[in-house]
Amino acid sequence: MGLSLTRAAQWTPASSGTGKLESTPMNESLLKEILSFAEQFGSQHPQEALHVFQEPLQWSTTLVASDFKTDYDISDSDVKSNERDSEGLPLLQLSPPTVSVRSFSQLSKLIHLAEDKKVEEVQACLEENRYPVVKILGSSVASILQGEDTDTDVLSLVDKVKDQGKDSEVKVKLFLLLQNLDNKLLSKCLEEIAGKIRLDPTAVKNEVDSLKQSSIEGEKRVLKSIRYTSDYIFSNGCRAPPWRQVHREMCYLVIEPCDTETLCVTCSTAGVFINGMGRIQTDLKNPGEAFTVNTSQGERPPNSSVT
């Protein structure tokens, strides 16, 4: 609910003051994940669910007073939760069309009450609260925790924020739960993006031409040579024989680095692979690290041997 919203989610231009989440498959996937997280939070994390937000999450809701049942004080169109903070203030208030929520406990309950409008409520909440972590934990705590290494232990994090008010341990646990959600959302986006990206003969040719130009000449060169194993180009741009193209292979390269043995490479629509090893990644921005190898079994293309 942090980086995943600002970087991964797809927003419309904020020309009218507030950007909206676009109607895209990726955004729909993100919303469903966030909905599941928020809806189950009260039952899965009861202690953290009772924590009172530093600032309320407020948005224009589709819910009305008649949607609220027990546990709420209803007066005409206004609603207040019976659940209150230490000062006696309600943790949920509805003054149509604005709803104000101050704990995950009340957020979970509201989502349950929304029934077939759950996704719409979550979307409205996110659109009108672009930085929910800051409102939930407070800007100081959020800033401190977001600046720490991901492998820092809980006790160390608690010690970092102990001067930022009470409930330091609960705040740290909340932050870690939100961070885990954020990582899950970003991973989901990357998986979806990776599933759509496919190499084609033109992209391979451009990459090879770029490598020839930037990595073979000059004092900082990292390659002695890079060449195709075949000069024949089929009408579709592939150099691999037709019986290999059915396995999504496009061409084969022989690459001679300056500091290691010669590499035989298969270029397929699924990626670029060292024959018998795994996927390689070309990084033209860092020519000194032009080739990195991932030897994971899952990275190998099927039937990748050159014939």
Side-chain angles (χ1 to χ4, degrees):
M1 294 172 71
L3 288 176
S4 57
L5 289 181
T6 56
R7 295 184 182 180
Q10 297 160 311
W11 296 85
T12 60
S15 56
S16 59
T18 303
K20 301 292 184 181
L21 285 166
E22 294 182 349
S23 180
T24 65
M26 184 177 293
N27 280 351
E28 290 176 7
S29 180
L30 289 175
L31 286 171
K32 288 179 181 178
E33 288 289 341
I34 295 172
L35 167 60
S36 176
F37 174 84
E39 188 174 21
Q40 299 174 34
F41 196 96
S43 59
Q44 293 187 350
H45 310 285
Q47 181 183 5
E48 291 79 9
L50 296 176
H51 176 74
V52 179
F53 298 163
Q54 190 73 17
E55 297 179 46
L57 299 177
Q58 294 180 314
W59 68 94
S60 296
T61 181
T62 59
L63 298 181
V64 295
S66 59
D67 292 317
F68 293 82
K69 311 301 180 184
T70 58
D71 299 327
Y72 294 94
D73 179 16
I74 302 174
S75 177
D76 295 327
S77 61
D78 292 344
V79 176
K80 294 181 180 180
S81 66
N82 292 334
E83 188 178 4
R84 297 171 180 265
D85 64 13
S86 59
E87 298 179 358
L89 299 175
L91 297 182
L92 180 146
Q93 285 185 276
L94 171 66
S95 295
T98 302
V99 66
S100 175
V101 177
R102 301 173 59 216
S103 74
F104 269 112
S105 173
Q106 285 300 318
L107 183 59
S108 294
K109 292 177 181 178
L110 181 144
I111 291 174
H112 280 293
L113 292 172
E115 296 182 348
D116 60 341
K117 298 179 181 179
K118 293 178 181 180
V119 174
E120 288 83 349
E121 287 296 319
V122 170
Q123 180 170 345
C125 176
L126 294 174
E127 288 176 343
E128 297 183 42
N129 300 274
R130 289 287 292 268
Y131 303 99
V133 175
V134 173
K135 289 192 172 184
I136 292 169
L137 301 176
S139 58
S140 297
V141 172
S143 178
I144 292 171
L145 295 178
Q146 287 172 342
E148 292 297 313
D149 294 333
T150 55
D151 58 352
T152 305
D153 62 88
V154 174
L155 292 178
S156 297
L157 292 175
V158 172
D159 188 61
K160 292 280 186 181
V161 299
K162 65 182 180 181
D163 296 329
Q164 301 298 319
K166 60 181 182 178
D167 300 329
S168 298
E169 185 174 352
V170 173
K171 289 180 180 179
V172 168
K173 289 180 178 179
L174 263 175
F175 171 77
L176 293 176
L177 288 170
L178 293 170
Q179 187 180 62
N180 287 338
L181 171 65
D182 214 44
N183 291 335
K184 183 178 180 181
L185 295 175
L186 288 172
S187 295
K188 194 173 186 67
C189 288
L190 290 175
E191 288 175 5
E192 188 164 336
I193 291 171
K196 293 179 180 178
I197 295 176
R198 288 289 183 269
L199 288 179
D200 58 45
T202 301
V204 172
K205 180 181 182 301
N206 291 340
E207 188 75 7
V208 170
D209 290 344
S210 181
L211 283 171
K212 285 181 177 179
Q213 184 176 7
S214 64
S215 302
I216 295 179
E217 300 178 355
E219 295 180 356
K220 296 183 178 181
R221 68 173 188 159
V222 295
L223 300 178
K224 293 180 182 178
S225 68
I226 178 171
R227 60 183 175 82
Y228 296 100
T229 60
S230 172
D231 292 328
Y232 185 83
I233 303 175
F234 290 87
S235 59
N236 60 2
C238 293
R239 295 171 185 255
W243 57 89
R244 299 309 305 173
Q245 290 184 36
V246 297
H247 296 293
R248 302 188 300 173
E249 295 176 8
M250 296 179 289
C251 67
Y252 312 103
L253 300 171
V254 176
I255 302 172
E256 293 184 79
C258 293
D259 57 354
T260 187
E261 61 186 14
T262 299
L263 305 174
C264 296
V265 171
T266 296
C267 299
S268 76
T269 58
V272 182
F273 301 83
I274 296 178
N275 295 337
M277 294 185 68
R279 185 191 299 268
I280 69 171
Q281 174 182 333
T282 57
D283 185 354
L284 299 180
K285 294 181 180 179
N286 297 289
E289 301 175 358
F291 297 96
T292 57
V293 182
N294 185 333
T295 57
S296 167
Q297 291 288 340
E299 294 287 327
R300 300 179 188 177
N303 305 311
S304 61
S305 59
V306 180
T307 58

